[in-house]
Amino acid sequence: QVQLVESGGDLVQAGGSLRLSCAASGSGFNAMGWYRQAPGKQRELVASITSGGSTNFADSVKGRFTISRDNAKNTVYLQMNSLKPEDTAVYYCNAKRREMESGWYTTKDYWGQGTQVTVSS
């Protein structure tokens, strides 16, 4: 059973930095990343990274956030700099893996429980 354990969420002032970490049990994840959900809003992709190192970022975080992963440790990191109050949300780790199910390969999504990031103005 895959489990994702997140850490690093905190209360920080605007302009500050935080680093989120997510360690996954298991291996072979095609992509890992971070989503966030603010109160009253839908969950949105923040950043993702493939096993080959290709990255994708939401426009709102480009130039401020970086994502990296340690494939040997099945861990993904999100470095968040120049934080803004609008970055306040619960951040969820996500891992995707191709798995055989009923004779067919499908992409399965795994989620962490979320870590709170609060940016004060």
Side-chain angles (χ1 to χ4, degrees):
Q1 184 177 357
V2 174
Q3 288 189 324
L4 304 180
V5 179
E6 301 138 329
S7 61
D10 207 345
L11 169 64
V12 64
Q13 288 190 332
S17 297
L18 282 176
R19 188 191 195 213
L20 305 183
S21 299
C22 171
S25 62
S27 60
F29 300 104
N30 305 95
M32 299 183 76
W34 294 90
Y35 288 69
R36 68 186 180 187
Q37 188 166 19
K41 295 189 176 181
Q42 288 190 329
R43 190 174 297 189
E44 63 175 358
L45 173 68
V46 176
S48 64
I49 183 168
T50 68
S51 56
S54 297
T55 59
N56 184 37
F57 293 92
D59 288 342
S60 59
V61 307
K62 284 179 181 177
R64 300 188 297 123
F65 292 10
T66 58
I67 189 169
S68 59
R69 66 186 279 180
D70 184 333
N71 289 330
K73 296 181 179 179
N74 298 306
T75 300
V76 63
Y77 307 95
L78 184 69
Q79 178 66 44
M80 306 185 292
N81 299 327
S82 302
L83 282 161
K84 304 176 181 180
E86 50 264 43
D87 294 317
T88 296
V90 178
Y91 284 69
Y92 295 92
C93 180
N94 171 266
K96 299 182 186 297
R97 188 169 68 183
R98 294 270 289 173
E99 296 180 1
M100 179 73 74
E101 191 171 281
S102 302
W104 299 93
Y105 273 106
T106 61
T107 297
K108 291 203 71 174
D109 278 279
Y110 297 95
W111 294 94
Q113 291 192 324
T115 185
Q116 177 70 47
V117 171
T118 303
V119 184
S120 63
S121 56

